[in-house]
Amino acid sequence: MRMTPVKSKGALRRAHVMLRRWEIGLRMREAHGDPDIWLLESKAPAHRSPWSDTRTYPGAATQAGPGSAVEVVESEARLRVYAVHDYFVGLRTTTGTRSAYSLYVMCRATIEACAFATWVFDPAARPEERLLRGLRLAAEPLRRRLKSLEAMESDATGFWGDDFRSDITSAKNRALVYQHNIERAIQSIHAEHQKADGHASREPSRVPSASQRVREMLCDEMDLPQGLDAYHRMSGVAHSEALAIIGTWNWDTKRPSIDYFSFLEFLHLALCAVAFMLERRAACWGENCKLNKLHRIIHRVEHIVEREPRVQMV
């Protein structure tokens, strides 16, 4: 049965909005449980696929912590896919919650995870570029971990006890070994690239910031530059910036609010990022993507945006 927009105001319009949100949430629940969307068909990449070429690249087997360099890189990419799969549940719950800010935070987390996953899964990246990206993604939080452990070690006075200081020292030593292995793997891949091409890799020496990587994905790769404004508004709320909070404040109800159009705009951007990430992963693995259910949700949201009026939801 086809649902037609309700033009009346007040309670009927709010009931209509709730119905639309329930419909989207139900579709997202079905998509979240569909293994065709989230799982690859084969455990091994197709022959001569971008990921297969990465696995066989000289230096890919170099030890880099708990596994080889290519295993660490694959883990970095896959863990972000797992995170997006879980964030998808959070996105779905925003269709039924009265919290205005949960959508901002969940959409932002989803988009950023997709941005870094696509950075590694980029099928156009050369094998050494993919390896260096993934290894640097692994190295970045390790640097922060070491700084934190060093600060804790310096503050671990007699109040904490010898056992606590010993645990911190052990954790720091393990992190140092892991960092050394990753740096050695990075140097090995640089050396292999220079031997083959005669010049150093063009890959930057540091991981881009989340905002920089999201900008690259939205503007250069997805051709959605209009999504940058929405992303910055999400970030402002996630960081509790006063200007962003004021922008969401409903002075009549004296509480934060979000209009129906913005809700759909944010959700649409996050869903497009998820689809883009999964498409890149499949292309890198040498497989076809089965995203029919996800694309139907995206098209449904686009259809609603074109036809529905702006109304306050909460």
Side-chain angles (χ1 to χ4, degrees), residues 158 163 291 309:
D163 289 343
L291 301 180

Side-chain angles (χ1 to χ4, degrees), residues 92-291:
R92 178 174 61 82
T93 60
T94 64
T95 63
T97 182
R98 291 185 62 82
S99 167
Y101 293 157
S102 59
L103 178 74
Y104 287 83
V105 176
M106 289 310 308
C107 285
R108 177 177 180 263
T110 301
I111 291 168
E112 289 181 354
C114 289
F116 283 108
T118 58
W119 195 50
V120 179
F121 282 129
D122 182 3
R126 296 190 301 273
E128 77 279 2
E129 290 176 332
R130 192 180 333 282
L131 289 166
L132 290 172
R133 290 175 184 184
L135 289 171
R136 287 185 176 124
L137 278 176
E140 197 68 22
L142 202 55
R143 285 194 199 95
R144 295 194 295 268
R145 171 75 168 158
L146 278 167
K147 283 184 180 179
S148 175
L149 288 170
E150 287 167 358
M152 291 172 68
E153 190 176 42
S154 63
D155 289 341
T157 59
F159 174 77
W160 295 105
D162 293 338
D163 289 343
F164 180 75
R165 288 197 298 274
S166 177
D167 289 343
I168 292 176
T169 302
S170 297
K172 190 183 84 169
N173 289 338
R174 287 194 299 270
L176 283 168
V177 171
Y178 189 15
Q179 183 185 53
H180 172 73
N181 287 337
I182 288 179
E183 288 176 351
R184 187 177 60 181
I186 289 173
Q187 291 170 2
S188 173
I189 291 161
H190 270 303
E192 290 291 346
H193 175 75
Q194 191 146 10
K195 187 193 304 181
D197 287 14
H199 58 80
S201 171
R202 295 194 299 268
E203 275 298 294
S205 59
R206 298 296 295 270
V207 174
S209 66
S211 58
Q212 179 185 346
R213 178 60 205 131
V214 168
R215 187 184 306 111
E216 290 172 357
M217 181 181 73
L218 293 178
C219 297
D220 302 335
E221 299 162 14
M222 295 178 64
D223 197 23
L224 282 175
Q226 65 273 22
L228 267 183
D229 177 64
Y231 169 72
H232 289 316
R233 282 184 282 157
M234 296 172 199
S235 296
V237 168
H239 290 296
S240 304
E241 294 174 359
L243 188 61
I245 299 298
I246 290 172
T248 66
W249 200 256
N250 187 324
W251 297 101
D252 295 328
T253 61
K254 302 295 188 294
R255 64 179 184 178
S257 183
I258 181 171
D259 66 79
Y260 189 31
F261 181 84
S262 295
F263 170 82
L264 294 172
E265 177 190 16
F266 290 178
L267 186 62
H268 177 262
L269 188 63
L271 292 173
C272 286
V274 173
F276 182 70
M277 181 270 292
L278 292 173
E279 286 166 357
R280 275 209 163 179
R281 180 189 65 163
C284 190
W285 210 254
E287 291 186 358
N288 293 321
C289 231
K290 298 179 180 179
L291 301 180

Side-chain angles (χ1 to χ4, degrees), residues 13 30 45 53 199 252 286 293 295:
R13 176 174 288 180
E30 293 175 354
D53 291 345
H199 58 80
D252 295 328
K293 285 185 180 178
H295 284 148

Side-chain angles (χ1 to χ4, degrees), residues 54-63 68-70 131 135 185 188-189 192:
T54 303
R55 283 186 172 183
T56 56
Y57 186 79
T62 304
Q63 190 68 19
S68 66
V70 73
L131 289 166
L135 289 171
S188 173
I189 291 161
E192 290 291 346

